[in-house]
Amino acid sequence: MKPLAWAYLALAYVFIFLPVAVLVVFSFQDGRLPVPPLQGLSLRWYEKVLSDGDLMTALGHSALVAVISSALALTLGFLAAHALARVHLPGSAVMRGLLIAPMTVSYLIIALGLLALFSQTGVRLSLWTAGIGHVVINLPLCFAISFAAMGDHQQAAERAARDLGASEAQVLWHVSAPMLAPALAAAFFLSVTFSWDEFIIAFLLTRFDVTLPVEIWSMLKSGLSPATNAVGSLVFLVSVTLVVILELTTFRKGRA
Amino acid sequence: MATLAARERRLGWGLIAPALVWTAAFFLLPFAAMLALSFAHMEGRAIVSGLSLDNYARALGDPTMLKALVNSLEITAIVTLVSVLLAWPLAATIAWTIPPRLQRLALLLAVLPFWTSYVVRSYSWLLVLGKNGVLNKALIGAGLLGEPLQLASTRSATVIGFVHFFVMLLTLTIYANLVQLSPNYARAAADLGASRLRVLWHVILPLTLPGILTGAFLTFVLCIGDYITPQILGGNTELTLPQLIMLQLQRSGNFPLASALSVVLMAVVTLAYAAVARWIRLDRL
């Protein structure tokens, strides 16, 4: 049983890491094609990518859209979760269902719906319209994570603060939010990574200024290139750094 | 007391209103706009609104469109099944074979490529499966193959790309399920004389079924609606429904037909949800 289990584990890890390993290795290819044989190691594709103005602009756009849309999604989601967890409102089950609903709908359909709405109302496509789409997909996530994290001991602290004369805004800002900080940070980071990586909504809802995945998509049209490998490896590095930070700070603290 | 309750309720509405308004304005309203558009038709390049069912007749009657729906359903079914069959043993191995203090690390590693860009991940498989790709070169180099296999731009490539992504996702959900399981059930069954295989099949598997179904449903939803993987790996040989939708939108400029196809896609997902809703717990994800 044991050797079989280890063998399966090894095979599974090979399968999981194969494409990423190939991606990273051939980003250093000293040649024009990112396929074997490896003709030597070079950093020239990284130089090319890092000096590519369009790509760096797209990267800036992606970071901007990710941070702003995630902050908004988290704010809306946290406030709604607070209301549903603390106040007895009629129809709360329906509202919870409605807020979660976008999670079960394909990004493609959310993008097409927004495109239909924007084209019928004459809203011009931009990074803002893509950002609106990203808030739609991340709001359910932020709401669900905040809602799940709200427990009874926070409620006691909130009551105490209120009894001592704190206004509701002060309670939210000085008591609820700090007590939920690990969950809120997790929701924010997850939203950022989803938005940062999102393609189809950004593809359909932007026009002249585009985000990084859209720019990478247009690189794919010219076929296989080590430059694409280099961008992909850099994006991977950024995401993994985010995940490691999240793992080391938020989740550790959350469990303690 | 009544005034306090009323004050609290007003406050509650105030806190939830922004999220509700946002969801109504940018989720419900867009869906209504798309639904309205699906009943419109094209006159030349102009969209004329109306109440015609022609788009739906085409979406479900035209053989090429129907083929795309069937392709999507087949690919999604294969992907979901294969991913569950590969992920369950992986999750179980991590939960039972690896020492507890290393499990979190093992899990983190097992899903690390999950965090690469989705578009780049599909492209990476192209490097592995392409005619000059790593796999063909390795097989030819080992003398196992004379001619390179046509792997890229096939349904197999789409399935492999999808399975790679969903094995990672399902390993997470199934692992979470397995470690919550009390070992007492297995112990009791073993004490009563059940063999290890019987314990696995009759005790542990049924107990992890809700987790498996929830993960499988998530796989179904994400897989059937995805445009990127089939477009990059499958190419234009066997169109899936999302590919067809994008083709109608971009090449033909037929937004009404694209909308009708999207409504069909959503209906399929809703039907699937209705079929399994009793057994899955989305709120436990």
Side-chain angles (χ1 to χ4, degrees):
Chain A
M1 191 72 187
K2 274 246 160 150
L4 202 69
W6 286 110
Y8 186 75
L9 203 61
L11 274 178
Y13 277 103
V14 168
F15 173 63
I16 286 171
F17 277 95
L18 182 62
V20 181
V22 172
L23 178 83
V24 175
V25 167
F26 286 98
S27 68
F28 298 108
Q29 172 79 302
D30 196 6
R32 302 190 61 82
L33 277 177
V35 289
L38 195 60
Q39 291 160 347
L41 298 176
S42 134
L43 284 174
R44 68 175 155 127
W45 298 106
Y46 284 92
E47 280 167 30
K48 183 173 186 284
V49 159
L50 290 172
S51 59
D52 183 326
D54 287 346
L55 218 49
M56 289 303 116
T57 313
L59 187 130
H61 290 157
S62 272
L64 199 70
V65 170
V67 169
I68 294 178
S69 71
S70 300
L72 186 56
L74 181 62
T75 310
L76 294 176
F78 167 66
L79 294 181
H82 186 81
L84 282 178
R86 297 287 179 256
V87 186
H88 205 77
L89 292 173
S92 61
V94 176
M95 291 191 282
R96 212 160 61 215
L98 177 65
L99 290 178
I100 294 288
M103 236 187 210
T104 58
V105 178
S106 306
Y107 287 4
L108 175 62
I109 291 176
I110 289 175
L112 280 174
L114 283 168
L115 188 61
L117 180 73
F118 292 144
S119 63
Q120 279 168 33
T121 50
V123 175
R124 263 190 298 169
L125 299 180
S126 66
L127 290 173
W128 291 103
T129 47
I132 288 174
H134 285 180
V135 175
V136 172
I137 58 168
N138 281 328
L139 175 54
L141 184 85
C142 291
F143 166 73
I145 294 178
S146 313
F147 188 76
M150 288 182 182
D152 291 333
H153 68 288
Q154 286 131 15
Q155 189 160 18
E158 286 160 11
R159 274 213 194 106
R162 236 172 259 133
D163 287 348
L164 292 168
S167 73
E168 200 55 35
Q170 282 174 320
V171 171
L172 276 174
W173 186 248
H174 292 294
V175 181
S176 314
M179 287 183 85
L180 289 173
L184 298 184
F188 180 76
F189 274 110
L190 271 181
S191 294
V192 166
T193 46
F194 285 152
S195 166
W196 159 261
D197 189 28
E198 199 288 324
F199 168 71
I200 196 78
I201 292 173
F203 182 60
L204 287 175
L205 297 181
T206 53
R207 179 111 330 147
F208 302 111
D209 293 335
V210 297
T211 61
L212 191 59
V214 179
E215 190 66 37
I216 293 175
W217 182 265
S218 61
M219 284 176 78
L220 295 190
K221 282 196 199 124
S222 48
L224 305 182
S225 160
T228 312
N229 288 45
V231 184
S233 305
L234 287 175
V235 172
F236 183 47
L237 189 70
V238 171
S239 302
V240 167
T241 310
L242 271 179
V243 172
V244 169
I245 292 174
L246 192 65
E247 174 72 22
L248 289 181
T249 57
T250 322
F251 287 144
R252 278 285 146 76
K253 253 188 250 158
R255 277 184 304 157
Chain B
M1 246 353 236
T3 52
L4 188 67
R7 205 183 72 102
E8 208 168 66
R9 193 172 285 182
R10 214 167 40 239
L11 182 80
W13 285 118
L15 291 175
I16 201 172
L20 286 180
V21 169
W22 188 279
T23 306
F26 298 120
F27 177 68
L28 293 182
L29 200 60
F31 184 68
M34 196 178 79
L35 200 62
L37 208 51
S38 72
F39 298 113
H41 64 279
M42 302 293 293
E43 273 176 18
R45 295 192 59 91
I47 296 169
V48 182
S49 56
L51 270 177
S52 130
L53 286 173
D54 289 357
N55 293 319
Y56 289 97
R58 256 188 92 185
L60 296 170
D62 188 323
T64 51
M65 312 244 159
L66 206 59
K67 187 79 182 75
L69 176 61
V70 173
N71 277 337
S72 278
L73 285 171
E74 283 176 1
I75 289 174
T76 304
I78 296 170
V79 165
T80 307
L81 190 72
V82 174
S83 304
V84 169
L85 288 179
L86 290 178
W88 201 92
L90 179 57
T93 314
I94 293 177
W96 298 335
T97 312
I98 293 190
R101 68 193 168 80
L102 291 178
Q103 282 186 14
R104 216 181 150 75
L105 181 68
L107 205 64
L108 197 72
L109 279 177
V111 299
L112 201 63
F114 197 81
W115 304 104
T116 34
S117 148
Y118 194 96
V119 172
V120 172
R121 197 173 325 110
S122 292
Y123 164 84
S124 312
W125 273 110
L126 219 49
L127 303 177
V128 175
L129 300 173
K131 227 176 191 115
N132 299 316
V134 173
L135 196 64
N136 269 323
K137 287 269 170 74
L139 288 177
I140 292 172
L144 293 169
L145 214 63
E147 289 283 299
L149 288 172
Q150 172 70 37
L151 289 168
S153 303
T154 64
R155 173 185 282 201
S156 310
T158 305
V159 169
I160 291 172
F162 269 136
V163 166
H164 179 245
F165 181 74
F166 290 115
V167 160
M168 295 190 275
L169 190 81
L170 283 164
T171 302
L172 275 182
T173 58
I174 296 173
Y175 172 86
N177 216 249
L178 279 174
V179 289
Q180 277 169 10
L181 225 62
S182 158
N184 290 337
Y185 297 111
R187 239 175 253 154
D191 283 350
L192 293 168
S195 69
R196 286 184 68 161
L197 216 59
R198 280 187 64 138
V199 171
L200 197 65
W201 185 253
H202 290 290
V203 179
I204 296 173
L205 203 58
L207 285 169
T208 55
L209 216 51
I212 294 174
L213 278 174
T214 308
F217 175 70
L218 201 66
T219 304
F220 181 90
V221 173
L222 294 174
C223 183
I224 204 164
D226 183 45
Y227 166 72
I228 301 168
T229 304
Q231 182 66 21
I232 292 181
L233 289 171
N236 291 318
T237 46
E238 277 183 325
L239 288 189
T240 61
L241 197 50
Q243 284 179 291
L244 184 66
I245 291 171
M246 289 295 283
L247 208 63
Q248 288 304 326
L249 188 71
Q250 296 195 290
R251 290 281 162 73
S252 320
N254 195 338
F255 206 155
L257 184 55
S259 301
L261 288 165
S262 304
V263 174
V264 170
L265 177 60
M266 234 184 121
V268 170
V269 174
T270 311
L271 281 178
Y273 179 69
V276 296
R278 259 188 299 162
W279 296 292
I280 64 169
R281 301 288 307 269
L282 276 184
D283 51 342
R284 281 241 216 102
L285 284 178

